[in-house]
Amino acid sequence: MDNCIEIMVAGKEHLPYVDTILTTIEVAAKKRGTGIARRSPDYVKQKMLEGKAIIAMDGETFAGFCYIETWSNKHFAANSGLIVAPEYQGHGLAKKIKRFAFEYSRRRYPHAKLFGLTSGLAVMKINTALGYVPTTFSELTDDDAFWNGCRTCVNYDVLMRNNKTRCICTAMLYDPEQHPEDHLGDEPLAEGERPEHVVMPLKRETAEASR
């Protein structure tokens, strides 16, 4: 796999990468000058152990990540924390990770509406390509646990001043009922079942040149 990146559901073997993942997310947020809902190492570790995290690996080197959250008794799901390590950016890896997470979420939670809050143009474009549409905050989950997760974001005061009706982020929603052409939910995963890894060819000289 020296010339490939593998995208897969993370497991306990990936726990040693948690600190690297969180540092990469925080550095990227500071570079963009955007807010982010910070997660603790224990939170991310639990996601990995529950099979609710996606990781991209270049051999033993971390390349990208995101995790899955569910709200309102699994009526809503979100793919959060999408990040690609700097040396692997510019190869379309974020799109691959997002699509893997999207398809995995659709099969694991076939009746859930998928949503996201983002201030990043790149993520908005990826979401749009997957069928997400901009929506109002009132169409999202009313689960307090979700909104409490925004407390660690630097823009939390903006959210609260507007009574959770708007913020710096754009809300985007994918409602499977609005996509009759989407049959992913027709093949739900059994409990504990995981999709096959996705292998993404990597041009070694290009990746090395970006480091």
Side-chain angles (χ1 to χ4, degrees):
M1 291 298 176
D2 288 343
N3 295 310
C4 295
I5 293 177
E6 278 194 282
I7 303 170
M8 67 200 85
V9 177
K12 62 181 181 180
E13 66 274 22
H14 299 111
L15 293 177
Y17 296 95
V18 168
D19 288 343
T20 298
I21 290 167
L22 291 174
T23 298
T24 304
I25 291 174
E26 186 160 359
V27 169
K30 289 180 179 178
K31 183 177 180 180
R32 293 194 306 267
T34 57
I36 188 170
R38 292 181 177 83
R39 301 304 186 209
S40 69
D42 286 343
Y43 185 88
V44 175
K45 288 177 182 178
Q46 189 62 33
K47 287 297 177 186
M48 288 183 174
L49 295 175
E50 292 174 347
K52 296 180 181 178
I54 311 303
I55 195 166
M57 299 293 298
D58 176 11
E60 299 298 318
T61 303
F62 163 72
F65 179 81
C66 79
Y67 58 88
I68 299 168
E69 299 176 296
T70 57
W71 312 100
S72 303
N73 197 28
K74 300 181 181 178
H75 290 335
F76 288 89
N79 303 148
S80 304
L82 178 63
I83 191 67
V84 172
E87 57 267 36
Y88 294 98
Q89 293 174 7
H91 304 288
L93 180 56
K95 293 180 181 178
K96 292 281 190 180
I97 294 173
K98 182 70 176 185
R99 176 163 289 280
F100 186 100
F102 172 81
E103 294 181 356
Y104 179 43
S105 298
R106 287 286 297 116
R107 294 185 64 195
R108 184 161 179 173
Y109 309 106
H111 304 297
K113 294 179 181 180
L114 304 183
F115 74 97
L117 292 176
T118 182
S119 59
L121 179 60
V123 175
M124 291 181 197
K125 289 181 176 179
I126 293 172
N127 285 347
T128 299
L130 290 171
Y132 286 71
V133 295
T135 191
T136 61
F137 281 29
S138 62
E139 294 298 308
L140 308 182
T141 178
D142 59 1
D143 194 322
D144 287 338
F146 169 75
W147 297 104
N148 287 339
C150 294
R151 289 179 180 274
T152 55
C153 177
V154 296
N155 298 314
Y156 184 67
D157 63 318
V158 179
L159 178 69
M160 297 309 293
R161 284 202 307 270
N162 290 295
N163 197 29
K164 302 177 184 176
T165 59
R166 62 184 182 275
C167 193
I168 302 300
C169 286
T170 296
M172 303 190 76
L173 183 72
Y174 181 94
D175 185 348
E177 292 189 1
Q178 301 301 316
H179 293 271
E181 78 286 355
D182 177 0
H183 297 288
L184 288 167
D186 297 340
E187 301 176 358
L189 293 169
E191 186 67 29
E193 184 181 0
R194 299 186 178 190
E196 294 183 2
H197 298 186
V198 169
V199 177
M200 175 182 170
L202 177 69
K203 292 183 179 180
R204 178 61 54 189
E205 64 276 10
T206 304
E208 292 293 343
S210 66
R211 296 190 182 187

